[in-house]
Amino acid sequence: MSPTGFSAHNHRACIASGLAAADELCATKGVRLTPVRRRVLEILLTEHKAIGAYDILDHLAKDGASAKPPTAYRALDFLTTHGLAHKIERLNAYIACTSPETRHDPAFLICTGCDHVAETSAPRAIEHVAREAGFDIDTTIIEATGLCPTCRELA
C-alpha cells in the first residue's frame, strides 16, 4: 500500500469511495452506519488530517446538531472498531482508514508542520523480527513524524 494523504487526488471521489466502502463494509458485517456515524466518517474523510473529538463536535454543531462529547466518542469508537478509522495516538486524534475493505497493519506518516497524516502499511520487517523472537503479533501501529512534501518545500 503506497502512502495516501500527501499526494494530489480527486478529493470528492476520495470521500465518495470512502463512504461507499463504509456502506458496503457495514452491510457485510451486519452493523448499522447511523447518520451520525456516517457524518463523522465524512468529516474524517474530508479533513485528510487527524482531528480530535472536539473538532468533530464543532463540525457537527455547524451542521446544526446539538451533539455532546459522548456522541462523537461513540461514533469514533464504532468507526475504529469496524476498521473505518484509526486513532493517531501521538495526536490523540482520528483519521479515516484509507483501505477499510482489507485487513492491514497501518503505519502513519505524520507531518509536524501541518499535522496532515498519510496512511501506509507497516513494514513487513517487523513480522520477520517477531517471528524470529517467537512473538505472535495481534496489532501493529507505527507512527512516524517528519515533514510532508509541501512543508519540506516551505522549510
Side-chain angles (χ1 to χ4, degrees):
M1 174 197 293
S2 62
T4 303
F6 297 140
S7 58
H9 63 284
N10 181 335
H11 198 53
R12 286 186 187 172
C14 174
I15 295 167
S17 68
L19 291 172
D23 289 335
E24 187 174 324
L25 183 80
C26 289
T28 300
K29 288 184 170 186
V31 295
R32 191 162 170 253
L33 188 62
T34 64
V36 170
R37 293 169 179 169
R38 183 180 180 79
R39 179 63 184 129
V40 170
L41 178 59
E42 183 179 26
I43 292 165
L44 293 174
L45 287 164
T46 300
E47 289 298 318
H48 265 313
K49 66 179 185 178
I51 61 173
Y54 285 90
D55 295 321
I56 289 168
L57 286 172
D58 289 344
H59 282 277
L60 293 174
K62 288 175 188 170
D63 293 347
S66 60
K68 303 265 189 259
T71 303
Y73 284 111
R74 277 190 226 110
L76 290 165
D77 182 55
F78 174 87
L79 296 173
T80 57
T81 297
H82 294 287
L84 296 167
H86 301 290
K87 184 172 184 185
I88 306 298
E89 297 295 336
R90 179 185 184 279
L91 302 173
N92 192 27
Y94 298 82
I95 188 165
C97 178
T98 60
S99 300
E101 67 284 349
T102 59
R103 192 215 172 275
H104 62 284
D105 293 318
F108 302 101
L109 308 176
I110 304 165
C111 180
T112 56
C114 65
D115 282 341
H116 276 79
V117 177
E119 180 183 348
T120 189
S121 290
R124 294 294 160 218
I126 196 164
E127 290 177 2
H128 175 72
V129 171
R131 204 173 319 119
E132 282 186 356
F135 186 80
D136 214 9
I137 297 176
D138 287 328
T139 306
T140 303
I141 299 174
I142 297 173
E143 297 180 2
T145 59
L147 292 176
C148 71
T150 302
C151 290
R152 202 175 62 236
E153 282 182 23
L154 297 174

Coordinates of all heavy atoms in Angstrom, one line a residue, residues 1 7 22 38 43 48-49 62 64 68 70 72 75 79 88 97 104 106 114 122 129 139:
M1 N 0.9 -1.2 0.0 CA 0.0 0.0 0.0 C 0.9 1.2 0.0 O 1.7 1.4 0.9 CB -0.9 0.0 1.3 CG -1.7 1.2 1.4 SD -2.4 1.4 3.1 CE -3.5 0.1 3.3
S7 N -0.4 13.2 -1.4 CA -0.5 13.4 -2.9 C -1.8 14.0 -3.3 O -2.8 13.9 -2.7 CB -0.2 12.1 -3.6 OG -1.2 11.1 -3.2
A22 N -17.5 2.2 3.3 CA -18.1 2.1 4.6 C -19.5 1.4 4.6 O -19.8 0.5 5.4 CB -18.2 3.4 5.3
R38 N -22.0 8.1 10.0 CA -21.7 8.4 8.6 C -21.1 9.8 8.5 O -20.1 10.1 7.8 CB -22.9 8.2 7.8 CG -22.6 8.4 6.3 CD -23.9 8.2 5.5 NE -23.7 8.4 4.1 CZ -23.2 7.6 3.3 NH1 -22.8 6.4 3.7 NH2 -23.0 7.8 2.0
I43 N -16.6 13.6 7.9 CA -15.7 14.7 8.4 C -14.3 14.2 8.3 O -13.4 15.0 7.9 CB -16.1 15.1 9.8 CG1 -17.5 15.8 9.8 CG2 -15.1 16.0 10.5 CD1 -18.2 15.9 11.1
H48 N -8.5 14.8 5.8 CA -7.2 14.3 5.5 C -6.1 14.6 6.5 O -4.9 14.7 6.1 CB -6.8 14.7 4.1 CG -7.1 13.7 3.0 ND1 -6.9 12.4 3.1 CD2 -7.7 13.9 1.8 CE1 -7.3 11.8 2.1 NE2 -7.8 12.6 1.3
K49 N -6.5 14.9 7.7 CA -5.6 15.0 8.8 C -6.3 14.5 10.0 O -7.5 14.5 10.0 CB -5.1 16.4 8.9 CG -6.1 17.5 9.4 CD -5.4 18.8 9.5 CE -6.3 19.8 10.1 NZ -5.7 21.1 10.3
K62 N -21.8 23.0 13.4 CA -22.0 23.8 12.2 C -23.1 23.2 11.3 O -23.8 23.9 10.6 CB -20.7 23.9 11.4 CG -19.7 24.8 12.0 CD -18.4 24.7 11.3 CE -17.3 25.5 12.1 NZ -16.0 25.3 11.5
G64 N -25.7 22.0 12.6 CA -27.0 22.2 13.3 C -27.3 21.2 14.4 O -28.3 21.3 15.0
K68 N -23.1 16.2 22.0 CA -22.3 16.3 23.2 C -21.1 15.4 23.0 O -21.1 14.5 22.1 CB -23.1 15.8 24.4 CG -24.4 16.6 24.6 CD -24.1 17.7 25.6 CE -25.4 18.4 26.0 NZ -25.7 19.6 25.3
P70 N -20.0 12.6 24.3 CA -20.2 11.1 24.1 C -20.7 10.7 22.7 O -20.4 9.6 22.2 CB -21.3 10.8 25.2 CG -21.1 11.8 26.2 CD -20.7 13.1 25.4
A72 N -19.7 12.0 19.8 CA -18.5 11.9 19.0 C -17.7 10.7 19.4 O -17.3 10.0 18.5 CB -17.6 13.2 19.1
A75 N -19.4 7.5 18.2 CA -19.2 7.3 16.7 C -17.8 6.9 16.4 O -17.5 6.0 15.5 CB -19.6 8.6 16.0
L79 N -16.4 3.5 14.5 CA -15.6 3.6 13.3 C -14.2 2.9 13.5 O -13.8 2.2 12.6 CB -15.4 5.1 12.9 CG -16.6 5.8 12.5 CD1 -16.3 7.3 12.2 CD2 -17.3 5.2 11.2
I88 N -4.8 8.1 16.0 CA -3.4 8.5 16.0 C -3.0 8.9 17.4 O -3.4 9.9 17.9 CB -3.2 9.7 15.0 CG1 -3.7 9.4 13.6 CG2 -1.7 10.1 14.9 CD1 -3.1 8.2 12.9
C97 N -9.7 5.5 7.7 CA -8.9 4.5 7.1 C -9.0 4.6 5.6 O -10.0 4.8 5.0 CB -9.4 3.1 7.6 SG -8.4 1.7 6.9
H104 N -5.2 -4.9 7.3 CA -3.8 -4.4 7.2 C -3.4 -3.8 8.5 O -4.2 -3.5 9.4 CB -3.7 -3.3 6.1 CG -4.6 -2.1 6.4 ND1 -5.9 -2.1 6.2 CD2 -4.2 -0.9 6.8 CE1 -6.4 -0.9 6.6 NE2 -5.4 -0.1 6.9
P106 N -1.7 -0.7 9.9 CA -1.3 0.6 9.4 C 0.0 1.2 10.0 O 0.4 0.9 11.1 CB -2.5 1.5 9.8 CG -3.0 0.8 11.0 CD -2.8 -0.7 10.8
C114 N 2.2 20.5 9.4 CA 0.8 20.8 9.1 C -0.2 19.8 9.8 O -1.4 20.0 9.6 CB 0.5 20.9 7.6 SG 0.8 19.4 6.8
A122 N 2.3 -1.1 7.6 CA 3.5 -1.3 8.4 C 4.5 -2.1 7.6 O 4.1 -3.0 6.9 CB 3.2 -1.9 9.7
V129 N 11.0 -10.0 12.4 CA 11.6 -9.9 13.7 C 10.8 -10.6 14.8 O 11.3 -11.4 15.6 CB 11.9 -8.5 14.1 CG1 12.4 -8.3 15.5 CG2 12.9 -7.8 13.1
T139 N -1.7 -6.8 16.8 CA -1.9 -5.5 16.2 C -0.6 -4.7 16.1 O 0.2 -4.8 17.0 CB -2.9 -4.6 17.0 OG1 -4.0 -5.4 17.3 CG2 -3.2 -3.3 16.3

